């Protein structure tokens, strides 16, 4: 931890569960020094048991933080303070000696590829926030494993938190408790410190019984020290430090040093009618149907899709040259709005037991509700919104927060892959990049080679709502769908991806780009999406097998005229879906070039520059 102010009362709080003495020295020092600093009333070392979980849930019910949803088995609803509802990029920082270790130095303006904070500024920020911040509360010690316990691809963390909500959620999202401590010995672990920043007695009343400190929220990563320090927010992405903080920001930096990849990708297995199976990893920005794809019911007869993970992939080449991937998580932390029997039937079958819902609406019969659930309310059933007020459709605002969540165990998913917890990981043969592009970008294309594929990932763009105006759609750059999650300089990250091609014996996966969201001149989607996306996966599967035919274009290989299986699909205009317009791509190239020039600047690898020029030449010849 950073140099710490001497707490006035330098007394060790009592340990109410677990045995500090039995822990390895480094773990014990980590806990003791932070307990002296944060001054909790007591320390509880989590064992991850069912009995402990019941007690934690009871504590939250008693504090009014959650309520039981009587309609389902062991499901709970938390409503947060409306000021604490999402990840806050502007308050999420990485601390390194030099800014350039964290982000490229942009040619003009500020970096969009991460937020750097100097060590001096962080030390000041830390000392304003942490001394005495847990007074009157329990400090929970959460030993957790990212990935199956004991897997060579897994990593261990210990999170100290004063939030019981974090304990209950981390038990779903990670492997947590005594078994992790057994495997720790004197091995290294990522040190995670989290406080809601509301010591007792409270200075002002809580909203929704949800402790947080929005004025002082800060989520800091210290990659050189393998530390994550988060203050002021109880919301998942800011407080469940195993998630984006560890699994992407810190892990991507560890991966760079150790020669593997930590990516914002789903992992799915797909089996053809002959029983042959392949695994894909896929990166999509938010609002592109990532979880829907990971849990898809394929419309093609005889094909089967199974889910290894819906959000994060850790991938490493094995000695045979196969790229092996694990899902480091143990649960799904999914966006509720838009999840329905139509869009994601398998998610719906997963989430109605042992789940914590946050900021969704509640039905008067003890159930949950949100926009896009596609279930009419039964007669006489009323709704209470996420703001804890009576709600009707005339309210003019959504009943569930747009970023409301379900936190649910992955093992409950009806199509969870049999190898989802395999310690050696599953072999990845295809990597998919995608975005929401209403115009110009074909349904699917394949990279010419690995370098071209890395360029495609780097040039990813997707439609997003312009947050500032809340109107009009803009196309945002989101390279590798990692823009908010890079743990180090993006230029160096690209070089790391490119370096995979030089690994001895590496069997490099094929790289594809998809766009389910292209529209015609009347604004209607050209492709039906959802389960029909299995037709595109079939083409990719067969491309890897060397069976499907493709034709080269200026941007990559696209399916040859009859290669995409459209059997049983009416009215699909392939000409429009695969049209590559010179005018569109000239503009696209300008945008990408400008972005690389300004944002990546001197750190852009020459291979990416070369791919850019080659694309420009091919488009000119259209």
């Amino acid at each position: 931890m950073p140099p710490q102010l001497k707490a006035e009362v330098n007394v060790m709080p009592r340990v109410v569960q677990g045995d500090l003495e039995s822990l390895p020295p480094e773990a014990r020092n980590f806990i003791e020094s932070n307990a002296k600093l944060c001054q909790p009333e007591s320390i509880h070392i989590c064992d991850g048991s069912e009995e402990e979980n019941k007690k934690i849930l009871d504590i939250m019910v008693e504090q009014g933080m959650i309520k039981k949803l009587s309609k389902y088995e062991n499901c709970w609803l938390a409503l947060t303070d409306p000021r604490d509802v999402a990840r806050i990029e502007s308050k999420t920082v990485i601390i390194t000696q030099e800014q350039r270790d964290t982000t490229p130095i942009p040619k003009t303006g500020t970096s969009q590829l991460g937020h750097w904070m100097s060590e001096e500024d962080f030390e000041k920020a830390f000392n304003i926030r942490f001394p005495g911040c847990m007074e009157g509360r329990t400090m929970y010690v959460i030993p957790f494993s990212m990935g199956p316990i004991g897997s060579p691809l897994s990593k261990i963390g210990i999170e100290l938190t004063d939030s019981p909500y974090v304990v209950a959620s981390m038990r779903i999202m990670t492997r947590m408790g005594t078994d992790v401590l057994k495997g720790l010995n004197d091995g290294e672990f990522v040190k995670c410190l989290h406080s809601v920043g509301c010591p007792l007695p409270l200075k002002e009343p809580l909203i929704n019984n949800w402790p947080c400190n929005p004025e002082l929220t800060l989520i800091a990563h210290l990659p050189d020290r393998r530390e994550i320090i988060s203050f002021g927010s109880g919301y998942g992405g800011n407080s469940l430090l195993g998630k984006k903080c560890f699994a992407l920001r810190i892990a991507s930096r560890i991966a760079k040093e150790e020669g593997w990849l930590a990516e914002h990708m789903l992992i799915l297995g797909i089996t053809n009618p002959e029983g042959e199976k392949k695994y894909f990893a896929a990166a999509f920005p938010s609002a592109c149907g990532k979880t829907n794809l990971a849990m898809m019911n394929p419309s093609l007869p005889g094909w089967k899709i199974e889910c290894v993970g819906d959000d994060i992939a850790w991938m490493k080449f094995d000695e045979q040259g196969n790229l092996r991937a694990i899902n480091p998580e143990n649960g799904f932390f999914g966006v509720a709005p838009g999840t329905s029997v139509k869009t994601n039937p398998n998610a719906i079958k997963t989430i109605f037991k042992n789940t914590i819902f946050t900021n969704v609406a509640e039905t008067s019969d003890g159930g949950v509700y949100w926009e896009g659930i596609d279930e009419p309310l039964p007669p006489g059933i009323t709704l209470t919104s996420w703001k804890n007020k009576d709600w009707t459709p005339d309210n003019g605002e959504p009943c569930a927060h747009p970023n409301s969540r379900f936190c649910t165990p992955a093992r409950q998913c009806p199509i969870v892959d049999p190898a989802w917890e395999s310690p050696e990981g599953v072999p990845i043969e295809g990597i998919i990049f995608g975005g929401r592009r209403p115009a110009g970008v074909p349904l699917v294309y394949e990279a010419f080679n690995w370098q071209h594929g890395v360029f495609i990932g780097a040039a990813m763009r997707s439609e997003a709502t312009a947050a500032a105006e809340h109107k009009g759609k803009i196309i945002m750059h989101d390279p590798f769908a990692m823009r908010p999650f890079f743990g180090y300089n993006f230029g160096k990250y690209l070089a790391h991806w490119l370096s995979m091609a030089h690994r001895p014996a590496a069997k490099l996966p094929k790289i594809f780009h998809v766009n389910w969201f292209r529209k015609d001149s009347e604004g209607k989607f050209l492709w039906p999406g959802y389960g029909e996306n299995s037709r595109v996966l079939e083409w990719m599967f067969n491309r890897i097998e060397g069976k499907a035919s493709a034709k080269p274009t200026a941007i990559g290989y696209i399916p040859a005229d009859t290669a995409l299986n459209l059997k049983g699909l009416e009215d699909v205009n392939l000409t429009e879906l695969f049209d590559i317009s010179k005018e569109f791509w000239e503009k696209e190239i300008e945008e990408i070039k400008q972005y690389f020039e300004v944002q990546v600047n001197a750190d852009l690898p020459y291979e990416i520059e070369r791919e850019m020029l080659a694309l420009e030449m091919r488009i000119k010849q259209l």
Side-chain angles (χ1 to χ4, degrees):
M1 289 289 134
Q4 290 161 358
L5 296 180
K6 283 274 176 278
E8 285 164 37
V9 202
N10 216 342
V11 197
M12 266 303 287
R14 65 200 169 92
V15 179
V16 293
Q17 178 176 303
D19 178 15
L20 262 182
E21 307 295 319
S22 66
L23 298 180
E26 198 177 343
R28 188 176 154 186
N29 292 344
F30 171 59
I31 296 161
E32 287 179 348
S33 61
N34 283 296
K36 285 175 184 168
L37 174 80
C38 301
Q39 288 294 299
E41 193 175 285
S42 57
I43 296 173
H44 171 123
I45 301 170
C46 297
D47 60 19
S49 66
E50 194 50 62
E51 187 188 354
E52 174 185 75
N53 188 47
K54 283 199 178 84
K55 279 185 195 158
I56 295 286
L57 293 166
D58 287 347
I59 287 168
M60 286 196 279
V61 170
E62 201 178 301
Q63 293 176 357
M65 248 183 125
I66 61 170
K67 64 187 289 193
K68 195 167 189 2
L69 291 162
S70 56
K71 196 171 174 178
Y72 318 118
E73 182 192 333
N74 191 31
C75 285
W76 309 84
L77 173 63
L79 300 179
T80 72
D81 183 316
R83 299 169 301 168
D84 188 21
V85 292
R87 282 185 300 102
I88 313 170
E89 283 180 32
S90 59
K91 298 183 175 188
T92 303
V93 298
I94 294 179
I95 291 98
T96 48
Q97 280 189 322
E98 303 294 328
Q99 181 178 345
R100 202 167 166 184
D101 296 331
T102 293
T103 64
I105 307 296
K107 207 168 189 175
T108 55
T110 54
S111 176
Q112 295 168 15
L113 293 161
H115 293 273
W116 175 74
M117 187 184 257
S118 72
E119 292 172 333
E120 299 70 35
D121 285 353
F122 176 66
E123 194 180 316
K124 283 179 209 149
F126 183 89
N127 288 333
I128 287 166
R129 288 164 174 78
F130 280 90
C133 66
M134 296 187 184
E135 279 172 12
R137 297 189 181 276
T138 299
M139 174 190 275
Y140 297 98
V141 177
I142 307 172
F144 64 97
S145 176
M146 297 308 290
I149 294 174
S151 158
L153 294 169
S154 296
K155 298 283 178 197
I156 286 176
I158 296 178
E159 176 164 358
L160 312 179
T161 179
D162 51 10
S163 164
Y165 173 87
V166 169
V167 178
S169 304
M170 286 287 281
R171 185 173 183 267
I172 296 171
M173 290 306 299
T174 68
R175 286 95 179 158
M176 178 267 258
T178 311
D179 290 348
V180 178
L181 284 177
K182 283 180 194 154
L184 186 59
N185 303 325
D186 253 348
E188 61 174 50
F189 61 94
V190 172
K191 301 179 173 79
C192 306
L193 172 62
H194 168 256
S195 173
V196 291
C198 290
L200 298 174
L202 293 169
K203 293 190 175 62
E204 51 194 73
L206 298 178
I207 298 173
N208 283 338
N209 299 307
W210 181 266
C212 61
N213 189 338
E215 286 75 32
L216 288 177
T217 295
L218 185 67
I219 301 95
H221 306 73
L222 293 86
D224 295 326
R225 294 198 280 220
R226 307 283 192 255
E227 287 176 16
I228 302 161
I229 296 174
S230 171
F231 186 91
S233 169
Y235 165 78
N238 306 324
S239 66
L240 312 181
L241 300 184
K243 193 143 186 68
K244 308 295 195 199
C245 297
F246 181 162
L248 290 177
R249 295 191 194 96
I250 293 291
S252 64
R253 171 65 190 272
I254 296 174
K256 176 182 178 280
E257 291 170 19
E258 296 181 355
W260 50 282
L261 300 165
E263 299 300 326
H264 188 206
M265 291 181 176
L266 64 90
I267 307 167
L268 61 81
I270 179 162
T271 308
N272 71 6
E274 290 71 54
E276 298 163 314
K277 185 169 192 176
K278 296 192 182 303
Y279 288 96
F280 286 83
F284 292 91
S286 55
C288 290
K290 193 171 164 203
T291 302
N292 297 350
L293 181 63
M295 298 186 191
M296 184 210 295
N297 275 344
S299 61
L300 286 179
W303 287 79
K304 182 164 76 172
I305 284 181
E306 290 164 301
C307 176
V308 176
D310 78 325
D311 196 36
I312 294 169
W314 286 0
M315 304 186 285
K316 188 178 192 175
F317 284 101
D318 66 13
E319 283 167 10
Q320 288 70 48
N322 300 302
L323 186 61
R324 293 269 174 184
I326 61 167
N327 166 13
E329 300 191 293
N330 195 37
F332 303 126
F333 186 66
V335 174
T339 306
S340 70
V341 170
K342 182 193 165 198
T343 62
N344 196 336
N346 289 312
I348 293 290
K349 288 175 188 159
T350 305
I351 59 181
F352 292 119
K353 58 178 187 196
N354 307 318
T355 297
I356 299 171
F357 293 93
T358 303
N359 288 342
V360 300
E362 185 186 3
T363 60
S364 53
D365 60 348
V368 290
Y369 206 78
W370 49 75
E371 277 62 35
I373 198 169
D374 276 354
E375 294 280 326
L377 281 175
I381 298 294
T382 58
L383 281 186
T384 304
S385 78
W386 76 277
K387 293 182 175 173
N388 213 4
K389 296 191 172 93
D390 294 341
W391 188 92
T392 65
D394 318 331
N395 274 32
E397 59 177 20
C399 64
H401 188 275
N403 193 41
S404 54
R405 298 281 173 161
F406 51 79
C407 179
T408 196
R411 64 175 181 279
Q412 293 178 184
C413 178
I415 58 156
V416 74
D417 194 272
W420 86 280
E421 292 195 281
S422 146
E424 65 277 6
V426 298
I428 299 295
E429 294 184 63
I431 290 172
I432 304 168
F433 295 119
R436 180 180 277 271
R437 300 302 303 268
V441 179
L443 176 65
V444 59
Y445 59 99
E446 177 194 323
F448 293 124
N449 52 44
W450 184 258
Q451 287 75 8
H452 181 224
V454 174
F455 167 76
I456 289 170
M460 271 171 72
R461 303 173 71 212
S462 192
E463 184 181 73
T465 303
E469 306 82 59
H470 296 292
K471 60 170 184 275
K473 300 282 188 180
I474 54 168
I475 305 287
M476 303 264 293
H477 292 271
D478 193 350
F480 289 77
M482 280 282 284
R483 191 193 52 73
F485 309 121
F486 291 118
Y488 62 100
N489 180 313
F490 172 54
K492 303 280 183 280
Y493 167 96
L494 288 174
H496 182 57
W497 263 81
L498 290 164
S499 76
M500 297 297 150
H502 311 304
R503 307 214 142 223
K507 297 173 194 161
L508 296 171
K510 275 191 182 293
I511 296 178
F512 301 90
H513 187 284
V514 299
N515 172 29
W516 320 127
F517 302 99
R518 195 166 184 173
K519 292 177 177 177
D520 63 16
S521 53
E522 287 165 15
K524 291 198 182 79
F525 287 118
L526 287 163
W527 181 249
Y530 302 114
E532 303 298 355
N533 293 338
S534 55
R535 298 169 186 273
V536 175
L537 291 177
E538 177 193 37
W539 179 74
M540 295 178 189
F541 187 106
N542 290 334
R543 283 295 292 161
I544 295 164
E545 290 276 275
K547 289 177 187 165
S549 55
K551 54 185 183 192
T553 70
I555 64 170
Y557 297 110
I558 63 170
D561 296 343
T562 54
L564 198 61
N565 174 357
L566 297 179
K567 206 171 160 190
L569 262 196
E570 310 272 310
D571 304 331
V572 169
N573 185 334
L574 281 185
T575 314
E576 261 195 275
L577 259 179
F578 284 98
D579 178 57
I580 295 164
S581 139
K582 183 172 185 173
E583 190 191 1
F584 172 88
W585 279 93
E586 282 175 342
K587 281 197 192 117
E588 183 77 357
I589 287 167
E590 274 317 303
E591 288 281 346
I592 296 164
K593 220 160 133 179
Q594 175 73 2
Y595 183 72
F596 286 164
E597 217 168 275
V598 173
Q599 285 293 323
V600 199
N601 199 0
D603 290 316
L604 188 71
Y606 77 93
E607 296 95 329
I608 300 295
E609 216 164 319
R610 201 172 56 200
E611 290 296 336
M612 180 87 246
L613 289 169
L615 174 62
E616 204 169 358
M617 293 301 291
R618 295 191 299 266
I619 294 295
K620 272 203 178 103
Q621 287 159 12
L622 281 178

